[in-house]
Amino acid sequence: MTTITECCAERAAESKKEALALKYFGRNKKLYTDMAECVSRGAAKILYAGRDGVLLYEKSSGIHMLASEEKAAAKRILETLDENSLRERSGLLVAHGENARAAAYEMLNVEGETACFQVVYCSKEPRALRGMLSFRKPERVEIETIKKEYHLESPENIEKLCAAGQIWCGVTGEGEFVGFIGRHPEGSMGLLQVFPEYRRRGYGEELECFMINVFLSEGRIPYGHIIENNSKSLNLQKKLGYEVADEKVYWLFEC
């Protein structure tokens, strides 16, 4: 049975890890925004935090995240990771920067990757909406449409996100469902899609502005991961005032 003293000691150790992690993230705030937000909203289990880097996993998704500027340090940190636990939780590791990526390839059984730009909305000012859409949580028929149209999350994850209130529909004044946006399981903004017949009307920008304001209203920093070859999306983020981290983040699969 855990005693009060043991609980206090455990909490003190966790608080120390959080402080070390947040201090490390300050070295490159844009690159590590996703990890810092994970810690600040209490969603992180910090496995390692020190002067040479941070390793954590996001509790609800099980996705692991690694920050380390030096390849040798990243390898030492990954030595502390139970690879079976990684595989059981999600099989996903997000490596921040090229050196962390290279270390993961040497230390883990990586079978594939998706390279992304991390974009961060650094302003605290909400975006002005043009009033062309109203926003609401999806109903059953719309959930089925989202599951059919969006392929970067599993149907099961989309169901969970909808149940948790993390996906919003954009609807015109005439009641037309034109697209959707939301928050991925690990906390990043995304799931943006405008149906083909409604594109080039500014609806994607309006959906993003709405979602930026949702993040800001919660005291969160809006951020997202843009797949490196998606130049249209990256240009939209820049137009809306997002800043791009100076290194990429790498989603590594089947670790």
Side-chain angles (χ1 to χ4, degrees), residues 13 19 24 39 43 58 79 82 104 126 171 182 233 238 240 248 254:
Y24 188 87
V39 171
E58 199 278 333
E79 286 177 349
D82 181 345
V171 182
S233 182
K238 292 177 179 178
L240 294 176
K248 295 174 187 174
E254 297 297 329

Side-chain angles (χ1 to χ4, degrees), residues 9-237:
E10 183 178 333
R11 181 55 197 155
E14 290 299 316
S15 295
K16 183 177 180 180
K17 284 184 181 179
E18 288 181 12
L20 286 169
L22 292 172
K23 183 176 181 180
Y24 188 87
F25 299 149
R27 296 185 181 192
N28 193 331
K29 291 183 179 180
K30 286 194 283 288
L31 180 61
Y32 302 134
T33 292
D34 55 343
M35 297 181 74
E37 283 292 291
C38 188
V39 171
S40 66
R41 71 175 192 271
K45 174 64 177 177
I46 300 174
L47 303 176
Y48 177 90
R51 295 179 180 178
D52 53 352
V54 180
L55 177 66
L56 60 80
Y57 70 85
E58 199 278 333
K59 295 175 185 177
S60 64
S61 66
I63 293 171
H64 288 65
M65 302 180 187
L66 172 65
S68 187
E69 296 171 353
E70 301 294 334
K71 180 180 174 182
K75 289 175 67 175
R76 288 195 300 272
I77 294 169
L78 287 172
E79 286 177 349
T80 69
L81 177 62
D82 181 345
E83 196 167 345
N84 288 328
S85 296
L86 169 61
R87 192 174 296 110
E88 289 168 3
R89 289 186 183 122
S90 67
L92 295 171
L93 173 75
V94 183
H96 292 66
E98 179 57 39
N99 284 333
R101 170 187 177 271
Y105 268 91
E106 291 189 18
M107 300 296 293
L108 303 173
N109 182 31
V110 178
E111 295 187 4
E113 71 173 42
T114 298
C116 297
F117 296 103
Q118 178 143 266
V119 296
V120 183
Y121 187 78
C122 298
S123 172
K124 296 185 182 298
E125 291 298 318
R127 297 288 307 187
L129 298 176
R130 290 184 282 175
M132 59 174 61
L133 296 175
S134 59
F135 306 94
R136 59 171 171 77
K137 304 299 170 59
E139 299 174 356
R140 172 46 53 187
V141 65
E142 293 157 343
I143 292 172
E144 294 303 320
T145 298
I146 294 168
K147 287 161 61 176
K148 179 181 177 182
E149 296 292 331
Y150 192 80
H151 306 297
L152 295 180
E153 290 289 353
S154 68
E156 294 77 16
N157 273 351
I158 289 172
E159 286 281 358
K160 290 177 182 178
L161 290 169
C162 289
Q166 297 302 313
I167 296 180
W168 286 262
C169 296
V171 182
T172 67
E174 292 73 36
E176 296 173 292
F177 173 35
V178 303
F180 53 90
I181 196 167
R183 189 159 18 204
H184 288 288
E186 87 294 345
S188 64
M189 184 188 301
L191 297 112
L192 173 63
Q193 187 153 328
V194 176
F195 304 126
E197 62 269 33
Y198 297 108
R199 290 174 185 167
R200 300 185 181 278
R201 303 187 195 182
Y203 292 144
E205 185 173 331
E206 190 82 341
L207 282 160
E208 276 235 34
C209 288
F210 165 77
M211 200 64 198
I212 287 171
N213 294 349
V214 169
F215 270 68
L216 292 176
S217 71
E218 298 171 347
R220 307 256 64 92
I221 298 173
Y223 71 93
H225 292 170
I226 309 301
I227 296 174
E228 64 177 345
N229 61 1
N230 192 345
S231 58
K232 288 184 179 179
S233 182
L234 186 62
N235 288 336
L236 174 60
Q237 314 314 313

